[in-house]
Amino acid sequence: EYGRPSLVLDLMEEFRPVLVDGLTLSLFNKRIIRSTDFYRPEDREPAAFDFAETEPRREEYPIYLGHEGMKKFVAHFEARLNQKALYVPKGQRLTYRQICLEQVRLWVRSLRGEETYTAFTTDDQIGGQVFKISIFTGGRGSCRTPLLVKIRKK
């Protein structure tokens, strides 16, 4: 689509499972974010400027994360960005925030033909066993391609 930030969406795709999906599951499993943190628009007073031509059915209403729930999520997301992980290309432990920046720099160098782009990978503990998780996006720059996560025992 014209005007859509497709490049940003493609670049963030390899970090979504590491930064967002795992965090979201953790917040629900630890009951930090609960069902009471969500609301449907019809549960609140409509805004004075909200003029819908047709009223959608209840099952068509979206469910939103409320202000307090969003504050919880953002606080935990910021903490996640500040956690360190091994960044293999540099052989150092960097924060996820720094790793995101390094991956963008690597992508720019790959466009210039200076290096080959390699997706970020991380080691995670799953049930006490260490697995190597590699994250790939299919196609060339297609953010609509489903994400494939390959997990293999180290």
Side-chain angles (χ1 to χ4, degrees):
E1 292 177 35
Y2 178 76
R4 183 177 177 168
S6 297
L7 176 58
V8 171
L9 296 173
D10 289 344
L11 289 172
M12 58 72 62
E13 195 65 32
E14 71 185 86
F15 293 100
R16 190 172 46 113
V18 176
L19 295 176
V20 178
D21 295 350
L23 175 65
T24 301
L25 290 173
S26 174
L27 293 175
F28 281 112
N29 288 336
K30 293 178 180 177
R31 292 177 172 49
I32 294 168
I33 292 184
R34 301 168 181 248
S35 62
T36 55
D37 289 314
F38 293 87
Y39 71 94
R40 289 183 179 265
E42 79 272 12
D43 294 340
R44 295 196 175 178
E45 186 69 29
F49 56 84
D50 188 12
F51 299 105
E53 289 183 18
T54 59
E55 193 65 30
R57 295 187 312 248
R58 178 170 169 72
E59 63 271 7
E60 293 174 344
Y61 276 112
I63 299 174
Y64 294 106
L65 182 60
H67 181 72
E68 291 302 314
M70 185 63 75
K71 284 180 12 182
K72 293 176 197 176
F73 181 83
V74 169
H76 284 87
F77 182 72
E78 284 290 327
R80 181 76 169 143
L81 284 174
N82 291 323
Q83 288 178 350
K84 290 191 173 190
L86 177 64
Y87 186 62
V88 175
K90 287 197 166 207
Q92 298 176 346
R93 292 182 55 77
L94 302 176
T95 66
Y96 282 112
R97 189 182 309 271
Q98 292 168 319
I99 291 171
C100 290
L101 183 58
E102 288 299 321
Q103 284 298 102
V104 170
R105 289 176 176 155
L106 175 61
W107 182 80
V108 169
R109 289 191 302 272
S110 73
L111 281 180
R112 293 179 180 158
E114 299 167 6
E115 288 186 53
T116 302
Y117 186 84
T118 305
F120 172 68
T121 59
T122 183
D123 289 342
D124 276 347
Q125 293 282 350
I126 300 176
Q129 300 178 15
V130 178
F131 291 83
K132 185 73 166 186
I133 300 175
S134 300
I135 301 159
F136 304 91
T137 55
R140 291 193 172 141
S142 172
C143 62
R144 293 189 181 108
T145 303
L147 187 70
L148 173 65
V149 178
K150 293 184 178 180
I151 302 176
R152 62 183 187 273
K153 195 170 182 179
K154 273 184 108 176

